[in-house]
Amino acid sequence: MMHIKLISIATILLLLCVTFSSTAFAETKVPYWIIQNLRWWANDKIPAAQLESSLLWIGVREKIKITLVDGPSQIPDAIKKDTKKWNLGEVSDADFFNKIKAGLKDGSIKISSKSKFNISDYKEHEFSGHSPLFRTFAYKKDFIIVNGEKIPRDIQFELRSNQTETYKRLMVSEKDAVVIVPIFTKSAYDEPGFYTYYRGECDTKCLTKQIKYTTPHGYSSSSNAIKVFNLLGYHTITDVAVDSNPKILSKYKKVIVLHNEYVTQTEFDAITSHPRVLYLYPNALYAKVSANYQTDTITLVRGHHYPTSAVGNGFDWKFDNSKLEYDTTCKKWSFTKIKNGKMLNCYPEHIIFSDVELLKAIKDY
């Protein structure tokens, strides 16, 4: 058995400066995996210990000397309250992360000296030529072996310093638009789960799934789009936020729906009643689920040939465009107008990080 050496926080802070890229914190913005961890910590879905890597990342990028403490990490209640407000769009990204940095600098945020961290996990492997718009890389920890080949299960994006003028054309104000992150869809695709049932390999017990709060998003849950929109200034919220507080969408001039294939009735009503929605991925709003936040599960209610084979779209939505999701090249992308917005005619996951004109069209809508 291979033994991986875990090293102390003090050593980590020295070594991370070498393994991370030298891009400034202000240029990179905060990556989505950190936003995801903060979001679910504030909602008591993950413990503070799972937040340590995120806080260390910020500290290292800002060259902050981290305050260590014996015992568990300590994060002030005020930071948690601010995190909840930020998650609801009541505090801007800039103001919120300035408070995080201030807490790290003044020592009010303390990291456990007993925390262990494998430094090699965060070594970056850059993909040259992958995108002219964004620096593209994967952490060592995110590579897996598939059919004998090492491939990344999660890819990261950063802003490039030589694309400043292009970004000016593409960036938005946080209050202008919101992107709904398809966490229910991510959970539904997790195996064994909904698709195990569809294939006839599991009974209806597979139609109730744990909500996957912190696992990486993938192709089926718009991973690339989530990260790109985050870098370009769009505010992100999840299915959970919309289902819990559907009025949250009224704060924004424009709502961007990704591959939100599985949504609740409450979320469906909130999205379809908003006057300005961009349906960026075909097959959105296809199946109805219920959500139980006591057990942190979703359950399929209707759709995807369930509960009978005659059922297609679980909401009988007349604007369903699922047949278009199989065009993944998007060589002739265009938008079609519907009652409360526009729909893209292809599945843009492979071009969202490189097609400037598409990103400009999204901003201008």
Side-chain angles (χ1 to χ4, degrees), residues 1 8 11 25 33 47 58 84 120 182 196 221 230 243 264 279 334:
M1 180 181 293
S8 70
T11 308
F25 181 83
W33 65 271
I58 294 172
K84 290 181 178 180
S120 67
T196 322
S221 55
N230 174 55
D243 181 49
T264 63
Y279 298 91
S334 64

Side-chain angles (χ1 to χ4, degrees), residues 163-328:
Q163 293 291 334
T164 303
E165 292 304 313
T166 302
Y167 297 145
K168 287 179 181 178
R169 295 174 54 208
L170 303 178
M171 285 190 166
V172 300
S173 163
E174 291 173 28
K175 294 182 179 180
D176 287 343
V178 66
V179 176
I180 305 177
V181 174
I183 190 172
F184 291 161
T185 299
K186 175 177 71 169
S187 304
Y189 274 83
D190 185 64
E191 296 278 4
F194 289 14
Y195 289 81
T196 322
Y197 171 82
Y198 299 152
R199 295 192 302 269
E201 299 170 4
C202 183
D203 60 22
T204 54
K205 68 182 180 184
C206 284
L207 295 183
T208 294
K209 282 292 300 178
Q210 287 294 131
I211 298 174
K212 298 296 179 180
Y213 288 112
T214 59
T215 55
H217 283 264
Y219 176 81
S220 60
S221 55
S222 313
S223 176
N224 292 339
I226 294 166
K227 294 164 188 170
V228 166
F229 285 130
N230 174 55
L231 290 175
L232 295 178
Y234 292 79
H235 190 66
T236 60
I237 58 177
T238 69
D239 299 311
V240 173
V242 181
D243 181 49
S244 302
N245 178 23
K247 292 182 180 179
I248 195 172
L249 296 186
S250 64
K251 296 181 179 181
Y252 302 93
K253 298 176 183 177
K254 175 172 62 184
V255 174
I256 297 176
V257 175
L258 303 180
H259 189 223
N260 299 79
E261 179 179 354
Y262 294 89
V263 297
T264 63
Q265 183 70 57
T266 298
E267 185 178 7
F268 176 87
D269 292 342
I271 292 170
T272 55
S273 62
H274 192 282
R276 197 174 188 82
V277 179
L278 196 63
Y279 298 91
L280 195 58
Y281 284 67
N283 191 227
L285 312 189
Y286 186 69
K288 184 191 302 186
V289 296
S290 61
N292 184 328
Y293 301 118
Q294 298 301 312
T295 59
D296 289 326
T297 57
I298 57 168
T299 300
L300 181 64
V301 175
R302 188 173 188 271
H304 235 298
H305 307 297
Y306 179 85
T308 69
S309 59
V311 177
N313 186 286
F315 301 95
D316 297 319
W317 191 38
K318 67 178 181 179
F319 296 112
D320 182 280
N321 65 344
S322 296
K323 64 182 180 181
L324 300 176
E325 70 172 324
Y326 302 104
D327 178 0
T328 59

Side-chain angles (χ1 to χ4, degrees), residues 2 35 87 156 163 220 269:
M2 181 182 294
I35 289 175
N87 193 28
Q156 309 297 327
Q163 293 291 334
S220 60
D269 292 342

Side-chain angles (χ1 to χ4, degrees), residues 219 282 322-334 344-351:
Y219 176 81
S322 296
K323 64 182 180 181
L324 300 176
E325 70 172 324
Y326 302 104
D327 178 0
T328 59
T329 61
C330 292
K331 291 181 179 179
K332 296 182 179 180
W333 63 262
S334 64
L344 189 64
N345 67 340
C346 61
Y347 199 93
E349 186 70 357
H350 294 319
I351 68 165

